[in-house]
Amino acid sequence: MITVTEATAAAEPLKRLSDAGVSIWLDDLSRKRIASGNLAELVAAKHVVGVTTNPSIFQAAIGSGEGYEEQLADLAARGVTVDEAVRMMTTADVRDAADILRPVHEATHGRDGRVSIEVDPRLAHRTRATVAEAKQLAWLVDRPNVMIKIPATDAGLPAITEVIGRGISVNVTLIFSLERYRQVMDAYLAGLEKANAAGLDLSTIHSVASFFVSRVDSEIDKRLTKLGTDEALGLKGRAALANARLAYEAYEEVFAGERWLALARAGANEQRPLWASTGVKDPAYKDTLYVDELVAPGTVNTMPEATLDATADHGDIRGDAVTGSYMQARADLDAVERLGISYDEVVKQLENEGVAKFETAWVDLLEAVATSLRNKGVDGE
């Protein structure tokens, strides 16, 4: 158990991050983390005010089977389908996590204390099915602090508008490009306008836009390394930060415009930028790079536990590291483009790979649960 003194010392950089206007969310969830009290401990000691999940996270948690044995046995005895079993387990975890974070939700008037759960990634290119799944998940979890994650695909954009228009809070995921991010903000505003026209209370609707960071460097750095020139190598590790900083510039523009101000007067909440994929993948870079360098007011940074611990231990939080950096950010991306590396090609590739990765993780999870259900069924006979 973490002592009060140890917690205060360890979390000092996290406190500075929180004081700078960044909401710290944990990018992980498992039944063991909930049952052991670890999640509640992170909320109390490390300024964690939200949780994000994705198919890969659930595949790792449920695929291990730890903590799910009794529920799996009950589900097997009932003869449920594999898809139903997975949804019963994932929504149970999200419901319990939401209950742990409920005091944060109430203290921040709904801004934080959020737990996100993703629609079936196999529906990423089907608008109507995504909307139906989002409604079902909101009903199953049945907590005011749940956020439904919808991918920012072409089919996902109208789904975002429809779901927001029904008063359901949304975490838009898998955003890689600046153009797509602007489309996401537009979809959110359209959803708020739809909700307003339907007479819904806009103050109860919240959203974040998950802009992925480290994967941009992984792909562009690979291409820069292949070029191998001094100029190319000198640009490594700069594209992801530049991309995220320009996303924040776009956020500032949109949420200062007349369209937004009209909604704000009706009680609407801004859709906050969320920095996702913040675990550093290149060991040559500081492990808190995508935390230290993306501090900006009104943002969310969702971190795997290793990044959270690293930030608590040696994060270099110096205040706002984004505002005013736009000229250099634009110059960095322009320099990459001049070397023949197509920004549009990279971000499209990353979006496709992101959807495919989550779909693969979901299928793997279904297969693992199917095996467990068969074994539990045999054991119980």
Side-chain angles (χ1 to χ4, degrees), residues 36-292:
S36 68
N38 172 261
L39 178 57
E41 197 169 85
L42 292 176
V43 173
K46 290 194 173 178
H47 298 271
V48 169
V49 293
V51 171
T52 49
T53 69
N54 62 46
S56 297
I57 285 170
F58 279 128
Q59 192 273 332
I62 299 175
S64 71
E66 188 175 2
Y68 299 91
E69 296 88 353
E70 183 178 352
Q71 189 178 14
L72 279 166
D74 289 346
L75 293 166
R78 290 172 52 207
V80 303
T81 66
V82 176
D83 283 86
E84 184 181 357
V86 168
R87 273 314 182 201
M88 290 301 100
M89 289 188 286
T90 56
T91 53
D93 285 354
V94 168
R95 189 180 306 114
D96 289 344
D99 287 343
I100 291 169
L101 283 154
R102 186 68 173 270
V104 176
H105 177 259
E106 293 172 352
T108 60
H109 306 288
R111 182 177 176 86
D112 285 310
R114 294 281 172 176
V115 185
S116 298
I117 184 169
E118 192 145 353
V119 297
D120 186 333
R122 296 172 298 178
L123 306 178
H125 302 296
R126 297 168 56 192
T127 301
R128 288 181 61 188
T130 294
V131 172
E133 172 93 341
K135 289 162 56 183
Q136 176 75 355
L137 286 174
W139 178 81
L140 278 171
V141 176
D142 192 27
R143 294 295 185 272
N145 49 332
V146 70
M147 268 188 171
I148 308 303
K149 291 181 78 174
I150 298 176
T153 56
D154 286 329
L157 294 171
I160 293 160
T161 296
E162 180 67 21
V163 173
I164 289 290
R166 291 174 177 269
I168 298 171
S169 295
V170 173
N171 176 342
V172 184
T173 188
L174 292 175
I175 307 171
F176 294 95
S177 80
L178 296 168
E179 179 184 5
R180 182 69 85 194
Y181 179 42
R182 286 186 179 275
Q183 292 172 338
V184 165
M185 289 187 285
D186 182 71
Y188 175 61
L189 296 182
L192 289 176
E193 289 162 349
K194 191 168 187 174
N196 196 36
L200 300 184
D201 181 358
L202 299 191
S203 70
T204 65
I205 304 171
H206 289 261
S207 183
V208 293
S210 296
F211 202 85
F212 279 54
V213 184
S214 67
R215 295 188 198 179
V216 174
D217 268 345
S218 295
E219 182 57 35
I220 289 182
D221 281 2
K222 181 172 66 177
R223 300 181 184 212
L224 291 169
T225 300
K226 188 174 181 180
L227 289 173
T229 63
D230 289 344
E231 182 183 5
L233 298 177
L235 287 168
K236 289 181 64 176
R238 291 165 65 173
L241 292 176
N243 200 37
R245 286 166 172 164
L246 292 177
Y248 191 79
E249 180 187 39
Y251 154 75
E252 288 182 309
E253 290 173 1
V254 169
F255 290 98
E258 282 302 317
R259 185 183 181 191
W260 160 249
L261 292 175
L263 289 164
R265 286 190 289 270
N269 301 290
E270 290 184 357
Q271 181 187 58
R272 291 183 291 165
L274 179 150
W275 310 131
S277 182
T278 55
V280 172
K281 294 177 171 56
D282 189 332
Y285 301 152
K286 186 183 176 185
D287 54 2
T288 60
L289 175 67
Y290 304 124
V291 179
D292 299 346

Side-chain angles (χ1 to χ4, degrees), residues 2-15 41 44-47 312:
I2 299 173
T3 67
V4 173
T5 303
E6 290 171 336
T8 301
E12 187 58 34
L14 295 176
K15 182 180 186 304
E41 197 169 85
K46 290 194 173 178
H47 298 271

Side-chain angles (χ1 to χ4, degrees), residues 21-23 111 248 251 272-275 294-301:
V22 179
S23 292
R111 182 177 176 86
Y248 191 79
Y251 154 75
R272 291 183 291 165
L274 179 150
W275 310 131
L294 289 177
V295 178
T299 60
V300 179
N301 195 309

